[in-house]
Amino acid sequence: MERYRVVRIEEQMYGCEELPEGAEVCCDVTVEAADGIRKTLSCPDAELTRQGIDEGDTVLWDGTALRKA
């Protein structure tokens, strides 16, 4: 698992393609690794809310989902 700091969360104007039918709201989550490299991940808004993930939090990325560290 990779460890990142959440830099920015922005709601998308469209749904996530990877999500099951009926799920609508996704967010682009910009994260930064310890070496300063940034990437943008697409995550369901409901999952971020459920875990309480917000900007500035440390998260783990397993290649498919974010988890609060």
Side-chain angles (χ1 to χ4, degrees), residues 13-69:
M13 298 305 290
Y14 49 89
C16 282
E17 294 176 19
E18 307 85 30
L19 293 178
E21 189 137 344
E24 299 163 2
V25 181
C26 271
C27 292
D28 286 332
V29 181
T30 303
V31 295
E32 183 176 72
D35 60 6
I37 294 176
R38 290 186 176 194
K39 64 170 64 173
T40 300
L41 310 171
S42 185
C43 299
D45 178 63
E47 183 62 23
L48 298 175
T49 301
R50 185 183 69 76
Q51 295 188 59
I53 294 173
D54 204 353
E55 292 177 0
D57 288 344
T58 300
V59 293
L60 301 173
W61 172 252
D62 68 2
T64 59
L66 280 179
R67 285 193 314 188
K68 195 165 185 176

Side-chain angles (χ1 to χ4, degrees), residues 3-21:
R3 180 179 292 268
Y4 294 101
R5 181 180 61 85
V6 177
V7 177
R8 183 175 54 240
I9 298 175
E10 294 180 282
E11 190 173 298
Q12 297 175 353
M13 298 305 290
Y14 49 89
C16 282
E17 294 176 19
E18 307 85 30
L19 293 178
E21 189 137 344

